[in-house]
Amino acid sequence: QSPELRRYRRAYDAEVRSYEAQASRQELVARVAASDIVFAGDYHPLRQAQRTLMRILRDTVLLRHKIVLAMELVCSHDQALLEDYMGGNLPEEDFLSGIDYERQWGFPWENYRPLLAFAAEHSIPVFGINSRQDEGPQALRLRDEHAAGVIADLSSRNPGTLVFVVIGDLHVASRHLPACVARRLR
């Protein structure tokens, strides 16, 4: 692990080491539905992580009809390909090839397909928030800053809409992506 990743992980670990209280599923969904932006931490290689996010989203749709899904698995510069795929105008194989899924993301596609299918079925717009940043001492911070710009723009352009962000769990530490978004929205 790079020194940056170790620092990033330490900040995340310190924050999630303890919690104030355990929420019921109903409490969690009610809080999500009442929010403007939700940062949903995704443990990418674990299928159950994506299934849990799917359940939360499925329950939230019943309470809140205006939702956009912001996903790390697609780079923002591939938005046109994502829109074509979501609209049924681009076959899955061509979409995955076009965004260079295996090289750029590489986690099991079958874990993410249901989230995108659910979004399409419920007319939830999906936006890519990732960027292709080179590895380096500032790569994670630069990726957070890029994602924050997309998320803040989505929130500003869609008042009254929940921006449901699916991003790697380390990014959701309050001083990482959430802090970047808060600075952008000030």
Side-chain angles (χ1 to χ4, degrees):
Q1 290 185 348
S2 70
E4 180 195 25
L5 182 55
R6 283 195 300 274
R7 282 191 305 276
Y8 206 77
R9 180 175 292 284
R10 276 195 306 270
Y12 171 80
D13 288 343
E15 190 169 318
V16 300
R17 192 170 294 137
S18 64
Y19 55 91
E20 293 178 22
Q22 192 171 10
S24 70
R25 183 173 176 165
Q26 293 81 9
E27 291 169 327
L28 174 64
V29 170
R31 291 285 305 268
V32 167
S35 299
D36 293 324
I37 300 173
V38 170
F39 299 97
D42 177 30
Y43 186 68
H44 307 314
L46 183 63
R47 181 181 196 151
Q48 190 59 43
Q50 293 85 40
R51 285 180 167 180
T52 298
L53 296 176
M54 176 71 167
R55 288 182 191 108
I56 293 168
L57 192 58
R58 184 186 63 221
D59 292 350
T60 301
V61 164
L62 300 174
L63 301 174
R64 180 119 179 223
H65 302 292
K66 292 173 69 177
I67 300 173
V68 297
L69 188 57
M71 299 188 75
E72 182 184 21
L73 77 107
V74 179
C75 291
S76 60
H77 69 265
D78 288 326
Q79 186 62 36
L81 291 169
L82 177 58
E83 289 174 8
D84 284 348
Y85 172 69
M86 294 300 295
N89 301 317
L90 184 65
E92 181 177 291
E93 185 176 301
D94 293 343
F95 168 65
L96 296 176
S97 173
I99 65 170
D100 198 8
Y101 185 85
E102 281 303 313
R103 193 169 67 76
Q104 293 299 322
W105 190 246
F107 296 103
W109 168 245
E110 60 274 5
N111 296 357
Y112 291 95
R113 182 189 295 123
L115 278 167
L116 293 174
F118 179 84
E121 179 183 333
H122 292 275
S123 301
I124 298 172
V126 181
F127 294 87
I129 60 171
N130 209 345
S131 64
R132 291 185 179 149
Q133 297 294 337
D134 294 329
E135 292 299 317
Q138 299 295 315
L140 290 169
R141 185 187 62 75
L142 292 171
R143 286 178 57 211
D144 279 350
E145 289 294 340
H146 177 82
V150 177
I151 294 162
D153 186 58
L154 287 171
S155 183
S156 296
R157 289 179 186 241
N158 299 283
T161 299
L162 166 62
V163 180
F164 192 90
V165 181
V166 176
I167 192 156
D169 54 339
L170 298 182
H171 294 279
V172 302
S174 60
R175 63 189 230 196
H176 295 158
L177 180 60
C180 294
V181 172
R183 280 193 302 275
R184 297 275 181 132
L185 289 174
R186 272 193 203 121

